[in-house]
Amino acid sequence: MATRKLSLRNCRVGVIGLGYVGLPLAVEFGKHFETLGFDIRPERVVELERGRDSTLEVSRAELKSADRLAYSTKLADLKRCNVFIVTVPTPIDNYKRPDLTPLVKASETVGQVLRKGAVVVYESTVYPGCTEEVCVPILERVSGLKFNEDFYAGYSPERINPGDKEHRLPTIMKVTSGSNPEVAAFVDSLYRSIITAGTHRASSIRVAEAAKVIENTQRDVNIALINELALIFNRLGIDTQEVLEAAGSKWNFLPFRPGLVGGHCIGVDPYYLTHKAQEIGYHPEMILAGRRINDNMGAYVATEILKLMTSKKIHAKGARVLMLGLTFKENCPDLRNSKVVDVIRELEKFGSKVDVYDPWVDGAEARHEYGIRPIREPKARDYDAVVLAVSHREFKEMGVAKIRRFAKSTHVLYDVKQLFARADVDGRL
């Protein structure tokens, strides 16, 4: 069969999509194999060719170390590849349904350059069955080739954690799979060549897809539980953090914390699983309940801030609020699905004027994604309320005293991230 001709010795890898997932992958493969990083954004390719990564996931030195890596936006350049790895985003639409548009377009792109004997590996998060039910038929239609005879497929879910400098691509164990045993072995050996932590070969593509989607679903449900506990303890007048610290004194208590659940994974992936579950006639109650709780936390935080403002006779209408942080997590520029935006929108509904300050954010991206124009630097004594929304190290280094200097004499300081002691702030989640 054709896959016998394909070995690590003659691999020419094409990585489709050079975002938070694709670029680190292209860099690692580019140290070992002839690799092409393909992206539809010319500006992305230009910055990478100049040795700069705006996501801050890969350093200039790391980019330089991938001496067999080239970048392109030209479809023709992909024709020399025989292994294609698709790393495009898989978002949800306004109705919380999977939006497979990027995945479909990427599959059409690969289909145009697919040749006999090639292997297409998907890393994008999907529901079980998506690779073989949605992507493979597109590859067949566009290429005119037959699946598992002329070309083959694999699935190896991404496990990138944006902003994490300790857990990097090579040091995170990788799940692999293939469309037949021989392909599964090839895909596994391909990833083992760059993953020092090792691999876990799943028995099928569907198992690998399911494993990925439940990783973040499990975290989502656990955080939802803690968020619900925070809602209860707030009504009881008990500090949630004190309760969690006390319960955490037992060795097997899981250290989850309440918060805004956004980002490209936890706030999105569960909807892929629930979509598939409902498609086969099952209504997933616990997963969707957790999603409802977490999706409503932005509005809850805004309500708590408004209550504190009212208690200090600060009128919401016309009040100036400083939001410290816009990214979905600390110490990275990733704005995808940031739930800080929900807090901002809710405060604006009550007539408050919100300024956003985030030293990690690209202003043009914030305007494009959310219509928000971050300020360059907050002014002293200018705000009725200050909200610590993201625990960037810059804010931690500022300390409470300096942060309060941004506010008027009568003001509210609310700590979403529990960065400071309860006694040092007016309220916290």
Side-chain angles (χ1 to χ4, degrees), residues 36 45 63 70 75 78 80 85 100 104 114 169 181 213 222 225 253 261 281 319 329 338 355 391 409:
L36 180 71
V45 168
L63 287 173
L75 184 63
L78 278 173
R80 66 175 182 265
I85 302 179
L100 297 177
V104 168
L114 201 59
L169 173 66
V213 81
N222 276 285
L225 170 62
F253 186 81
V261 184
K329 66 179 292 189
S338 171
D355 283 347
S391 54
S409 56

Side-chain angles (χ1 to χ4, degrees), residues 273-288:
L273 183 57
T274 58
H275 165 80
K276 188 63 178 180
Q278 291 169 329
E279 193 177 72
I280 60 174
Y282 179 78
H283 181 73
E285 297 184 23
M286 180 179 290
I287 298 171
L288 287 175

